[in-house]
């Protein structure tokens, strides 16, 4: 998908007004907008803008919405992968419910849940903090109180909350309270956000079962907290495993290697304890 001139200008206007756009990004966009509006050659101006954004785009260091815009400029944006937020809602409270889990970078928390039968939608976002509608940059700094998390809408006739809890413990490190795997910082700490008393009891029982098992040498630090406002992350982060498969697979591989080693140690510890 490559932008027309009209759509390009609309995107530039919107990004200039977007509070999540960094100041230096905004200055480049303003420069391009002003140049075109005062008669500069459109193609030359956009080529100059693309060149100015390219170094940081190549290092994945643009803000998410500007990243989407840059990919549209160079014709690499996959519009069919734009997240449809309208599907992320409970349409039948009798048979649908929500679950919210934080377990490190939300890029790696979507696929394991999304591919399970009975999952309606998985949304990446930010929760647990006080700031309203935080940006990725603000959460990344680590002083807003938010964590990266996923909000899951699921069909209770097909999959139960207990099954989601069981999967959560399998794909996270419950002994690390300052991040998960290669992701360091308070915004990556593991937390289960419960929606009601039933979820709280299930989560607490599962946590106690793990503590009692002796599977882990270190203390279990995963928090269980009441759910608070959940703010959707920018489109770039939604279903990242589909948009950036090579990058995602590299991160997933590293995460799985750690978990495999950790689970091996846990199994050996349990076997040793049982035999003694």
């Amino acid at each position: 998908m490559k932008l027309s001139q009209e759509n390009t200008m609309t995107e530039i206007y919107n990004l200039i007004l977007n509070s999540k756009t960094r100041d230096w990004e905004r200055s480049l966009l303003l420069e391009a907008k002003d140049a075109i509006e005062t008669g500069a050659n459109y193609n030359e101006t956009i080529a100059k803008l693309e060149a100015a954004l390219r170094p940081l785009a190549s290092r994945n260091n643009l803000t998410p919405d500007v990243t989407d815009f840059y990919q549209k400029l160079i014709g690499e944006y996959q519009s069919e992968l734009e997240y449809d937020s309208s599907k992320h809602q409970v349409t039948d409270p009798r048979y649908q419910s929500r679950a919210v889990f934080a377990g490190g970078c939300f890029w790696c928390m979507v696929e394991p849940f999304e591919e399970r039968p009975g999952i309606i939608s998985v949304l990446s976002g930010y929760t647990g903090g006080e700031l309203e509608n935080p940006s990725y940059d603000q959460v990344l700094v680590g002083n807003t109180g938010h964590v990266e998390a996923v909000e899951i809408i699921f069909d209770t006739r097909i999959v139960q909350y207990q099954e989601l809890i069981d999967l959560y413990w399998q794909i996270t490190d419950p002994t690390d309270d300052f991040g998960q795997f290669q992701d360091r910082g308070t915004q990556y700490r593991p937390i289960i956000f419960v929606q009601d008393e039933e979820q709280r009891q299930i989560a607490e029982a599962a946590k106690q079962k793990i503590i009692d098992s002796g599977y882990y040498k270190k203390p279990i630090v995963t928090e269980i907290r009441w759910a608070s406002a959940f703010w959707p992350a920018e489109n770039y982060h939604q279903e990242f495993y589909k948009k950036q498969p090579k990058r995602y697979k590299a991160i997933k591989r590293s995460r799985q290697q750690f978990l495999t080693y950790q689970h091996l140690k846990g199994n050996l510890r349990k076997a040793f304890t049982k035999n003694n």
Side-chain angles (χ1 to χ4, degrees), residues 179-221:
Q180 291 286 282
F181 316 104
Q182 70 271 29
D183 303 309
R184 313 314 302 157
T186 58
Q187 70 272 29
Y188 297 120
R189 64 194 186 277
I191 305 175
I192 299 170
F193 292 91
V194 295
Q195 311 289 316
D196 52 38
E197 181 60 23
E198 181 182 7
Q199 286 192 2
R200 188 194 68 78
Q201 291 181 10
I202 292 172
E204 293 284 5
K207 180 178 179 178
Q208 190 60 49
K209 183 178 180 181
I210 289 177
I211 293 173
D212 295 341
S213 72
Y215 190 81
Y216 295 96
K217 185 177 181 179
K218 297 179 180 179
I220 304 302
V221 297

Side-chain angles (χ1 to χ4, degrees), residues 86-226:
S86 66
K87 70 179 181 180
H88 191 78
Q89 55 183 316
V90 173
T91 57
D92 190 344
R94 295 174 303 169
Y95 304 116
Q96 295 173 1
S97 188
R98 298 177 188 269
V100 177
F101 300 119
C105 177
F106 44 30
W107 290 351
C108 291
M109 290 290 288
V110 175
E111 184 193 25
F113 290 105
E114 195 165 71
E115 295 192 340
R116 300 276 292 202
I119 301 300
I120 297 169
S121 175
V122 182
L123 182 69
S124 295
Y126 316 110
T127 191
E130 299 298 326
L131 183 66
E132 292 190 1
N133 195 25
S135 68
Y136 179 73
D137 275 6
Q138 290 171 322
V139 175
L140 188 62
V141 171
N143 59 7
T144 68
H146 293 85
V147 289
E148 292 191 9
V150 289
E151 182 179 67
I152 303 161
I153 297 178
F154 61 100
D155 189 325
T156 56
R157 293 168 297 185
I158 302 173
V159 61
Q160 299 298 309
Y161 184 71
Q162 180 69 62
E163 297 173 69
L164 302 183
I165 281 287
D166 291 342
L167 175 58
Y168 172 79
W169 291 110
Q170 293 171 23
I171 62 175
T172 60
D173 177 6
T175 68
D176 190 347
D177 60 356
F178 195 68
Q180 291 286 282
F181 316 104
Q182 70 271 29
D183 303 309
R184 313 314 302 157
T186 58
Q187 70 272 29
Y188 297 120
R189 64 194 186 277
I191 305 175
I192 299 170
F193 292 91
V194 295
Q195 311 289 316
D196 52 38
E197 181 60 23
E198 181 182 7
Q199 286 192 2
R200 188 194 68 78
Q201 291 181 10
I202 292 172
E204 293 284 5
K207 180 178 179 178
Q208 190 60 49
K209 183 178 180 181
I210 289 177
I211 293 173
D212 295 341
S213 72
Y215 190 81
Y216 295 96
K217 185 177 181 179
K218 297 179 180 179
I220 304 302
V221 297
T222 299
E223 294 181 61
I224 297 173
R225 292 166 51 177
W226 289 106

Side-chain angles (χ1 to χ4, degrees), residues 5 8-9 12-13 16 26-50:
Q5 179 171 340
T8 298
M9 295 306 293
I12 288 175
Y13 289 138
I16 290 171
R26 185 175 290 106
S27 67
L28 292 175
L29 295 164
L30 279 167
E31 182 181 343
K33 177 188 79 69
D34 292 343
I36 292 171
E37 289 180 341
T38 54
N41 181 277
Y42 168 78
N43 290 327
E44 291 178 359
T45 302
I46 294 303
K48 180 180 177 182
L49 174 62
E50 186 274 319

